[in-house]
């Protein structure tokens, strides 16, 4: 039994999920469903209204017939009453017999006559009609007013037949009360037939409207789907994609507008590709052309720097400045050359199995002197076992140096934590500083070329503004990730994640992007708010 229930639940869940997906993804399904629901509501309201009107009309006709028959019965009673008024004769049986005789050929009604002046007489009814068929409330109404004529709905009860719904009309003349009981079986059958007809016609109308909505919607949805498919192919790079245009209606206008847009977009993209190619070629050519004069200038600057003590103090200071700026110029030129290689798709990997701990120690050794001058202490959190991965030594070392120099630059002289971790498929390295941090939205912008969080703040270490951009390109060349997190006043963390085997897909990182202490603080604050 439990197995059957679980199977039924899974089946219902599957049907619900498929229906929900169809509802979300298909305009046609939504339009047809909404049309079906609205049509059903309108048809139901109209059906109820029509049933009420038909019921009221049938009841009105029946009540008019009943009051007419009741008037004839009172006239007969009046005639007999006047004829026997001096004799004190009980007319109940005679009047009941005559009225019953009038009804017998038609069977339209039953009668019940009672002499209210005699407490010991229960009245006479036709065809074994029970006295309880006449409602007490109608009796009381007739008994209070000698001239009362009223009717109500009730149940016709007999000794030998099933109860039937009936319209019961009553009147009084003298001490006599006359009640006519009109069965409503025929009217009930008529209403049942009308109700079934309305339900059938309403259901057919709703389905017809849904079918019409489906056909009409399909005329609109199909061109929209074709436009969506063309847009997807255009977005995937097939700039020659165009829609087939037929007719002159709004959908044809949409197709022509789409084709015009695609043509314009193709032209603009071609122009931008040409401009980008020219720009990359220009940067590459200029960078290569600058190598020769830069080498000559660097040799001259080195000679001046080596003999700076032989010059006057002002000239010696100028030689030092020239040396530092030449080094910065050389670094910028190297970065531009590396950027041009990435843009041209000419960057390649020279992978080899390396222990990430050794690369971290080497990079920290290059940055340690600068960190000490800035008052920052570098704390290493390295695993006890080797974390070997197939990486390009030069590129990963450059990534580590850029991350460490960036942490020193923006760490405000506070502690810098370098963490290394690994799992079966990936290795990761995180550089955490406790400086100014990043504002919301800057975690992605920090990798843009020449981007600076605070343009008014001068670089004190002499970076080119391309280091993080090149680092991300190097990480992506490995098939890895370089991500940033930061909060104002809390600090920032950069995480490098690389696959352990070159060419493998990176599915996750052994280290969290948000520092563990920050997550703990957030969890504590949330628990505190809940407790309050």
């Amino acid at each position: 039994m439990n197995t059957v229930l679980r199977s039924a639940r899974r089946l219902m869940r599957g049907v619900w999920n498929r229906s929900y997906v169809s509802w979300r993804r298909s305009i046609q399904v939504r339009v047809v469903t909404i049309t079906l629901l609205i049509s059903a509501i309108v048809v139901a309201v109209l059906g109820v209204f029509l049933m009420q009107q038909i019921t009221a009309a049938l009841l009105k006709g029946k009540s008019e017939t009943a009051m007419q028959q009741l008037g004839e019965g009172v006239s007969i009673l009046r005639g007999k009453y006047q004829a026997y008024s001096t004799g004190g004769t009980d007319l109940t049986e005679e009047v009941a017999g005559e009225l019953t005789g009038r009804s017998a050929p038609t069977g339209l009604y039953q009668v019940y006559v009672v002499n209210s002046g005699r407490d010991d007489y229960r009245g006479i009814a036709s065809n074994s009609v029970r006295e309880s068929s006449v409602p007490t409330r109608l009796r009381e109404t007739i008994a209070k007013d000698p001239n009362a004529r009223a009717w109500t709905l009730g149940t016709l009860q007999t000794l030998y037949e099933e109860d039937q719904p009936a319209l019961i009309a009553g009147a009084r003349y003298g001490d006599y009360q006359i009640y006519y009981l009109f069965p409503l079986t025929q009217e009930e059958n008529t209403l049942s037939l009308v109700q079934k007809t309305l339900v059938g016609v309403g259901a057919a109308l709703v389905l017809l409207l849904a079918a019409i909505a489906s056909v009409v919607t399909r005329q609109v949805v199909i061109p929209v789907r074709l436009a969506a498919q063309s847009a997807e192919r255009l977005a995937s790079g097939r700039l020659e994609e165009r829609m087939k245009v037929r007719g002159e209606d709004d959908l044809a206008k949409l197709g022509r507008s789409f084709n015009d847009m695609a043509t314009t977009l193709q032209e603009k993209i071609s122009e931008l590709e040409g401009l980008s190619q020219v720009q990359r070629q220009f940067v590459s050519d200029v960078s290569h052309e600058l190598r020769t004069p830069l080498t000559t200038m660097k040799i001259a600057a080195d000679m001046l720097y080596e003999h700076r003590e032989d010059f006057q103090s002002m000239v010696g200071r100028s030689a030092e400045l020239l040396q530092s700026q030449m080094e910065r110029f050389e670094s910028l030129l190297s970065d531009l050359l590396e950027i041009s290689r990435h843009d041209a798709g000419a960057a390649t990997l020279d992978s080899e199995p390396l222990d990430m701990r050794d690369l971290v120690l080497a990079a920290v050794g290059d940055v340690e002197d600068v960190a000490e001058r800035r008052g920052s202490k570098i704390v290493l959190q390295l695993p006890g076992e080797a974390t070997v991965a197939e990486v390009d030594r030069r590129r990963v070392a450059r990534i580590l140096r850029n991350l460490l120099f960036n942490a020193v630059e923006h760490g405000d002289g506070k502690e810098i934590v370098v963490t290394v971790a690994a799992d079966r498929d990936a290795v990761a390295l995180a550089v955490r500083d406790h400086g100014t941090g990043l504002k919301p939205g800057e975690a992605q912008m920090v990798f843009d070329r020449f981007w600076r969080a605070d343009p008014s703040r001068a670089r004190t270490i002499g970076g080119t503004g391309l280091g993080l951009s090149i680092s991300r390109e190097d990480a992506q060349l490995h098939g890895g990730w370089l991500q940033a997190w930061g909060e104002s006043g809390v600090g920032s963390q950069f995480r490098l994640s690389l696959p352990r085997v070159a060419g493998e897909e990176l599915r996750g990182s052994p280290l969290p992007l948000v520092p563990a202490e920050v997550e703990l603080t957030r969890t504590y604050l949330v628990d505190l708010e809940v407790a309050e």
Side-chain angles (χ1 to χ4, degrees):
M1 186 65 180
N2 293 332
T3 305
V4 174
L5 291 176
R6 284 196 296 269
S7 300
R9 282 197 295 267
R10 284 197 297 269
L11 179 61
M12 293 298 295
R13 191 181 300 112
V15 172
W16 169 257
N17 291 336
R18 287 192 294 271
S19 301
Y20 180 69
V21 171
S22 299
W23 170 268
R24 288 187 57 188
R25 295 182 177 179
S26 176
I27 296 177
Q28 187 175 9
V29 171
R30 289 201 296 270
V31 171
V32 172
T33 303
I34 293 173
T35 303
L36 195 65
L37 291 176
I38 295 177
S39 302
I41 293 173
V42 172
V43 169
V45 171
L46 290 176
V48 172
F49 176 75
L50 289 175
M51 284 297 298
Q52 290 178 346
Q53 294 297 314
I54 294 172
T55 302
L58 289 175
L59 194 59
K60 181 179 179 182
K62 198 70 173 181
S63 64
E64 290 177 352
T65 302
M67 297 308 291
Q68 183 179 357
Q69 293 290 340
L70 185 64
E72 293 179 0
V74 172
S75 297
I76 294 172
L77 176 63
R78 183 187 298 113
K80 292 185 177 296
Y81 189 83
Q82 292 175 353
Y84 293 97
S85 60
T86 56
T89 305
D90 187 357
L91 303 175
T92 305
E93 184 175 354
E94 183 177 351
V95 171
E98 184 169 348
L99 296 182
T100 301
R102 287 174 174 269
S103 171
T106 62
L108 293 178
Y109 59 86
Q110 304 293 335
V111 295
Y112 176 74
V113 182
V114 61
N115 186 353
S116 58
R118 299 181 60 181
D119 296 337
D120 59 341
Y121 200 75
R122 297 178 60 83
I124 297 177
S126 62
N127 296 330
S128 303
V129 173
R130 294 180 182 272
E131 182 182 356
S132 58
S133 298
V134 181
T136 303
R137 192 167 184 179
L138 181 61
R139 287 172 178 268
E140 294 174 352
T141 301
I142 299 300
K144 290 179 182 178
D145 187 358
N147 299 317
R149 294 187 181 185
W151 65 272
T152 186
L153 296 177
T155 303
L156 176 60
Q157 306 173 15
T158 61
L159 295 175
Y160 308 109
E161 297 179 0
E162 294 183 357
D163 295 348
Q164 307 175 59
L167 185 147
I168 304 169
R172 175 181 172 185
Y173 186 82
D175 293 335
Y176 293 92
Q177 298 176 11
I178 302 176
Y179 296 97
Y180 282 77
L181 297 91
F182 292 84
L184 297 178
T185 305
Q186 184 176 356
E187 285 74 14
E188 269 200 344
N189 293 335
T190 302
L191 289 176
S192 177
L193 178 61
V194 171
Q195 184 177 12
K196 292 178 180 178
T197 303
L198 287 177
V199 170
V201 173
L205 180 60
V206 169
L207 294 177
L208 180 61
L209 290 175
I212 293 173
S214 178
V215 172
V216 173
T217 308
R218 185 178 177 83
Q219 301 300 316
V220 178
V221 169
I222 289 179
V224 172
R225 287 176 180 172
L226 294 176
Q229 293 172 1
S230 299
E232 289 176 356
R233 287 192 287 267
L234 185 66
S236 65
R238 297 172 59 179
L239 301 180
E240 72 283 355
E241 180 67 26
R242 297 293 184 272
M243 288 184 61
K244 294 181 180 180
V245 180
R246 298 176 182 174
E248 297 181 357
D249 55 9
D250 294 335
L251 294 175
K253 184 178 179 180
L254 171 64
R256 286 192 293 270
S257 300
F258 177 87
N259 292 339
D260 293 340
M261 179 194 68
T263 301
T264 303
L265 184 62
Q266 184 178 16
E267 293 174 354
K268 293 298 182 183
I269 290 178
S270 298
E271 292 178 4
L272 291 174
E273 287 179 347
L275 180 60
S276 178
Q277 181 64 30
V278 171
Q279 182 182 8
R280 289 197 298 267
Q281 189 63 39
F282 173 77
V283 172
S284 178
D285 292 344
V286 169
S287 300
H288 282 288
E289 291 297 328
L290 287 176
R291 297 295 294 182
T292 300
L294 177 62
T295 302
T296 305
M297 294 169 63
K298 185 69 170 59
I299 294 173
D302 290 341
M303 291 181 62
L304 292 175
Y305 183 75
E306 290 177 0
H307 297 84
R308 66 185 181 281
E309 296 179 356
D310 298 336
F311 303 141
Q312 296 180 1
S313 59
M314 294 297 293
V315 178
R317 177 56 180 164
S318 298
E320 292 177 355
L321 292 175
L322 178 62
Q323 176 71 10
S324 63
Q325 294 304 312
M326 288 300 298
E327 291 176 352
R328 184 175 181 183
F329 187 22
E330 186 177 19
S331 176
L332 177 59
L333 188 59
S334 298
D335 289 345
L336 288 174
L337 283 171
E338 191 64 30
I339 285 290
S340 66
R341 292 191 190 96
H342 281 293
D343 290 342
T348 58
L349 285 178
D350 184 13
S351 301
E352 58 178 318
L354 295 173
D355 190 346
M356 292 295 293
R357 299 178 301 172
D358 297 336
L359 295 177
V360 169
L361 293 175
V364 170
D366 295 338
V367 180
E368 199 166 13
D369 292 339
V370 179
E372 289 179 357
R373 289 198 299 269
R374 297 296 302 274
S376 296
K377 180 183 178 181
I378 300 178
V379 178
L380 299 179
Q381 295 181 352
L382 305 180
E385 57 185 11
T387 54
V388 179
E390 296 178 4
V391 297
D392 188 320
R393 178 191 297 271
R394 179 179 63 87
R395 296 183 184 277
V396 173
R398 179 168 57 198
I399 295 174
L400 298 179
R401 285 196 300 270
N402 284 330
L403 295 182
L404 289 171
F405 275 120
N406 182 75
V408 172
E409 176 74 26
H410 300 281
D412 295 341
K414 298 179 182 178
E415 184 179 78
I416 298 172
V417 181
V418 180
T419 307
V420 177
D423 58 20
R424 186 182 62 181
D425 301 318
V427 295
L429 177 142
V431 178
R432 168 82 160 99
D433 68 73
H434 299 79
T436 55
L438 297 172
K439 298 177 182 178
E442 291 183 348
Q444 293 298 325
M445 299 170 61
V446 73
F447 296 106
D448 294 344
R449 297 174 184 179
F450 300 107
W451 182 84
R452 298 174 67 182
D454 185 3
S456 63
R457 178 175 177 176
R459 292 189 177 94
T460 59
I461 300 180
T464 63
L466 295 172
L468 291 179
S469 178
I470 295 174
S471 297
R472 184 174 63 175
E473 296 284 353
D474 286 335
Q476 293 175 351
L477 192 63
H478 282 83
W481 307 329
L482 181 57
Q483 300 163 298
W485 165 90
E487 289 185 7
S488 297
V490 178
S492 60
Q493 176 165 290
F494 288 77
R495 182 184 68 179
L496 172 65
S497 305
L498 302 173
R500 301 195 74 159
V501 179
E504 292 290 332
E505 182 182 358
L506 184 62
R507 301 180 182 274
S509 179
L511 289 175
L513 180 59
V514 181
E517 69 273 11
V518 176
E519 284 291 351
L520 288 174
T521 302
R522 290 176 178 174
T523 304
Y524 173 76
L525 292 176
V526 170
D527 293 341
L528 187 61
E529 291 177 358
V530 172
E532 291 178 352

